[in-house]
């Protein structure tokens, strides 16, 4: 763990072995954090916030410079970080390389915002000079999942540091390695002790201790919706500011007038990128009936030709899912879809071959003729499993798209500009792609409607999550009050 600028083991001296999901090989061991360790980390972050000038406005330029230095260091060692994320969570190297580049850019983006956060002045009645000041919230507890180990962490760390907060971050117990490596780089560039602390360990111990700690001011969480609900309950007890980035069951609508050659590839990418272990994965494909069979068939051909293997191998575009437990969960959804008579178009099994024997590999899987009554239409699988559903009218497409308790992302494929805008306006989701799927930019807000979360990350919206708002009224009038 990295606490108060020092590397330490857990007080209980327990450790956890971290393995490569493609072959079961050991990658390392990390401490299994206890309540006591979390307390140490929060105290270190508290001291760095309360007793140093880290968060003050006159330190903003220094914060920005440190973040730029961290981004530069990360770029220097980007290949090692990409390799480590691939080994730890299974994603293809080409995706991990993109994640590391995005993470470095995210640090640079928020370095820019560190020195450009501004309050406001306001015109009010009475002879007052009124203004609104923005100040860092304080100590941020950040909890992240395993599907983008480095990137999800940086989406949280970067705006928090830029705002002047101090951080205790807990990576997923499955994928802590690149966050620990990032802390090493932070130490190398001279980030002051206690500003960034990393605790490893399971959610039920380290995560619970962190979210229940009285000395934190903010909880930022990315993960499953059920966990999000528990986190919100913990935040409620302490009246803590909380932002939640949760799950999704995201639709992509393909109209008959779409550019099909373009749409087919984006749709496969929507569902199968990162093994489908993406909160915004386009896992419910809604297709206009006249082109339905053709679209299912063409996406099937892509699915059957996706190169599966260890993410480090050349040309691999799908690695294993993250763990045995998660493999069983995804396979359980496949089994259930079969039992509920969804039509299996391709995949559905562990791929055959000795090279897959020790890894948690699942074939790219497509089910067709899925209806809102099916479990596959409603529940987040978080694996390489796509469902296809036909529709007849624009109204029906929108109704099916919104027939979910989630509201993270959606895709719309059409060459009709009016239809695209009409549908975009009606879909209840925080992120919508038209004639593409998945491109994400540091400048734009990321987050969901409904059960997909509360608040936004990225862009200036992501910075808001770490800023308090203070009104100040200065009386310019010299007369006495005359009230009593
Ligand atoms: P998860 O909810 O099981 O775990 C996420 C993190 O929370 C982990 O670090 C875990 O240790 C911790 N945790 C678990 N229980 C906790 C508790 N009671 N108190 C505090 N911390 C606790 O999620 P996961 O399986 O790691 O990730 C998959 C989920 O994340 C999916 O549902 C996916 O949609 C979601 N996700 C959302 C986004 C987004 O931006 N909206 C991005 C990535 C992943």
């Amino acid at each position: 763990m990295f606490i108060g600028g020092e590397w330490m083991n857990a007080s209980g001296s327990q450790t956890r072995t971290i393995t490569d999901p493609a072959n079961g090989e050991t990658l390392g061991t990390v401490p299994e954090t206890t309540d006591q360790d979390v307390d140490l980390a929060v105290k270190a972050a508290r001291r760095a916030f309360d007793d140093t000038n880290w968060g003050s406005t006159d330190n903003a330029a220094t914060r920005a410079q440190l973040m730029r230095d961290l981004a530069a260091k990360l770029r220097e060692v980007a290949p090692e970080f990409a390799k480590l994320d691939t080994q730890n969570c299974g994603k293809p190297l080409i995706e991990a390389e993109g994640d590391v580049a995005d993470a470095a850019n995210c640090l640079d983006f928020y370095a820019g915002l560190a020195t450009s956060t501004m309050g406001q002045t306001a015109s009010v009645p009475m002879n007052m000079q009124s203004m609104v000041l923005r100040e860092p919230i304080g100590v941020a507890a950040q909890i992240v999942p395993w599907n983008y180990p480095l990137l999800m962490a940086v989406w949280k760390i970067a705006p928090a540091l830029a705002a002047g907060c101090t951080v205790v971050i807990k990576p997923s117990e499955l994928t802590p390695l690149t966050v620990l490596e990032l802390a090493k780089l932070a130490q190398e560039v001279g980030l002051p002790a206690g500003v960034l602390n990393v605790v490893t360990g399971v959610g039920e111990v380290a995560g619970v201790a962190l979210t229940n700690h009285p000395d934190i001011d903010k909880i930022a969480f990315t993960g499953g919706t059920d966990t999000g609900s528990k986190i919100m309950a913990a935040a409620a007890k302490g009246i803590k500011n909380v932002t939640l980035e949760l799950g999704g069951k995201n639709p992509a609508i393909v109209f008959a007038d779409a550019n099909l050659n373009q749409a087919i590839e984006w749709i496969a990418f929507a569902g199968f990128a990162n093994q489908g272990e993406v909160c915004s994965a386009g896992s419910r494909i809604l297709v206009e009936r006249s082109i339905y069979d053709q679209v299912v068939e063409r996406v099937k051909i892509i699915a059957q030709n996706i190169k599966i293997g260890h993410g480090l191998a050349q040309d691999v575009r799908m690695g294993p899912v993250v763990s045995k437990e998660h493999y069983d969960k995804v396979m359980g959804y496949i089994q259930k879809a079969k039992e509920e008579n969804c039509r299996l178009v391709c995949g559905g099994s562990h791929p055959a071959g000795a090279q897959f024997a020790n890894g948690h590999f699942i074939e790219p899987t497509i089910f067709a003729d899925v209806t809102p009554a099916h479990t596959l239409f409603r529940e987040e699988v978080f694996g390489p499993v796509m469902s296809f559903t036909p529709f007849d009218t624009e109204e029906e497409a929108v109704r099916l798209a919104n027939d979910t308790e989630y509201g993270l992302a959606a895709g719309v494929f059409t060459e009709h500009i009016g239809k695209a805008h009409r549908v975009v306006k009606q879909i209840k989701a925080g992120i919508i792609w038209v004639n593409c799927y998945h491109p994400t930019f540091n400048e734009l807000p990321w987050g969901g409607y409904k059960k997909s979360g509360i608040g936004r990350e990225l862009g200036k919206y992501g910075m808001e999550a770490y800023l308090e708002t203070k009104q100040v009224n200065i009386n310019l009038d010299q007369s006495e009050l005359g009230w009593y």
Side-chain angles (χ1 to χ4, degrees):
M1 300 171 299
F2 186 61
I3 295 181
E6 293 185 13
W7 293 94
M8 52 181 77
N9 291 319
S11 55
S13 69
Q14 275 189 314
T15 57
R16 164 180 293 268
T17 303
I18 305 299
T19 54
D20 181 334
N23 52 26
E25 281 173 15
T26 297
L27 297 171
T29 53
V30 296
E32 195 77 339
T33 307
T34 64
D35 293 11
Q36 251 176 297
D37 304 323
V38 169
D39 186 50
L40 268 185
V42 173
K43 287 202 167 108
R46 188 81 260 164
R47 277 196 304 277
F49 187 76
D50 290 345
D51 304 342
T52 77
N53 77 335
W54 170 254
S56 73
T57 45
D58 64 0
N59 195 45
T62 304
R63 290 201 300 274
Q65 191 54 51
L66 284 166
M67 291 174 68
R68 287 194 191 97
D69 292 348
L70 184 57
K73 269 265 179 249
L74 184 55
R75 288 192 186 99
E76 274 171 30
V77 289
E80 286 110 275
F81 269 71
K83 186 176 171 206
L84 198 54
D85 253 0
T86 286
Q87 287 174 308
N88 198 174
C89 74
K91 66 176 66 209
L93 187 62
I94 190 170
E95 294 197 35
E97 287 167 347
D99 294 356
V100 179
D102 280 355
N105 292 341
C106 184
L107 285 161
D108 273 342
F109 173 77
Y110 279 107
L113 287 193
T115 50
S116 55
T117 300
M118 292 196 194
Q120 282 182 316
T121 57
S123 304
V124 292
M126 304 173 66
N127 193 5
M128 294 270 177
Q129 175 62 58
S130 293
M131 52 194 177
V132 178
L133 302 182
R134 309 308 308 275
E135 296 175 347
I137 283 187
V139 176
Q142 305 183 329
I143 298 178
V144 290
W146 45 257
N147 60 337
Y148 289 83
L150 176 71
L151 191 59
M152 289 298 99
V154 170
W155 279 17
K156 292 201 175 349
I157 293 169
L161 299 188
C165 291
T166 59
V167 167
V168 180
I169 188 162
K170 192 198 88 60
S172 165
E173 55 272 32
L174 299 173
T175 55
L177 300 181
T178 43
V179 177
L180 289 167
E181 291 298 323
L182 185 74
K184 279 190 199 160
L185 300 189
Q187 197 178 22
E188 277 173 44
V189 301
L191 202 73
V195 165
L196 174 65
N197 305 274
V198 183
V199 292
T200 50
V202 293
E204 291 70 21
V205 180
V208 168
L210 195 50
T211 51
N212 283 298
H213 201 293
D215 275 346
I216 56 161
D217 302 299
K218 158 93 197 174
I219 302 171
F221 172 76
T222 299
T225 293
D226 290 346
T227 317
S229 174
K230 289 182 198 159
I231 302 258
M232 206 167 166
K237 266 189 263 158
I239 317 288
K240 304 294 184 195
N241 180 307
V242 62
T243 43
L244 303 172
E245 296 287 345
L246 308 177
K249 189 73 202 182
N250 312 288
I253 303 174
V254 191
F255 287 102
D257 60 14
N259 171 347
L260 273 197
N261 288 342
Q262 185 189 51
I264 298 296
E265 280 208 55
W266 282 111
I267 289 163
F269 187 63
F272 294 135
N274 207 50
Q275 302 77 239
E277 296 168 315
V278 189
C279 49
S280 55
S283 55
R284 282 191 301 137
I285 312 303
L286 313 172
V287 188
E288 195 158 351
R289 199 174 298 275
S290 61
I291 56 162
Y292 178 71
D293 290 337
Q294 186 192 354
V295 169
V296 172
E297 182 60 25
R298 290 182 66 181
V299 180
K300 177 184 102 175
I301 291 167
I302 295 180
Q304 288 177 323
N305 286 294
I306 290 176
K307 181 148 189 228
I308 310 175
H310 193 295
L312 293 181
Q314 190 71 23
D315 296 337
V316 158
R317 290 292 180 272
M318 185 177 288
V321 299
V322 74
S323 66
K324 173 72 169 78
E325 192 189 3
H326 192 57
Y327 174 91
D328 289 342
K329 183 178 161 201
V330 175
M331 282 306 209
Y333 274 115
I334 291 173
Q335 183 56 30
K336 191 152 201 178
K338 288 179 185 166
E339 284 163 14
E340 292 180 0
N341 293 322
C342 300
R343 174 162 63 89
L344 181 64
V345 174
C346 66
S349 306
H350 189 101
Q355 71 273 36
F356 302 118
N358 297 321
H360 312 304
F361 293 96
I362 299 175
E363 292 171 336
T365 300
I366 292 177
F367 283 97
D369 309 343
V370 177
T371 74
H374 291 123
T375 306
L376 192 56
F377 192 91
R378 315 217 76 87
E379 295 187 16
E380 183 186 46
V381 176
F382 220 60
V385 184
M386 299 179 78
S387 79
F388 283 73
T389 305
F391 68 83
D392 291 304
T393 63
E394 188 179 316
E395 292 69 30
E396 190 190 3
V398 169
R399 185 164 41 74
L400 287 167
N402 285 331
D403 188 0
T404 169
E405 58 184 11
Y406 294 110
L408 186 57
V412 182
F413 292 85
T414 174
E415 292 291 285
H416 190 295
I417 191 167
K419 191 189 286 180
H421 279 285
R422 280 198 302 275
V423 172
V424 163
K425 284 187 176 179
Q426 293 175 82
I427 292 182
K428 294 185 171 34
I431 304 145
I432 304 196
W433 289 287
V434 177
N435 294 334
C436 62
Y437 204 100
H438 276 325
T440 300
F441 304 97
N442 287 315
E443 292 76 9
L444 299 179
W446 180 274
Y449 285 31
K450 303 197 277 185
K451 281 195 183 171
S452 288
I454 297 178
R456 292 293 180 271
E457 293 196 300
L458 297 184
K460 65 181 173 48
Y461 305 85
M463 187 89 165
E464 288 293 320
Y466 295 95
L467 291 170
E468 271 292 10
T469 305
K470 179 183 277 176
Q471 69 157 298
V472 183
N473 301 300
I474 302 171
N475 187 5
L476 305 180
D477 200 310
Q478 296 209 310
S479 61
E480 286 159 26
L481 175 62
W483 186 264
Y484 299 105

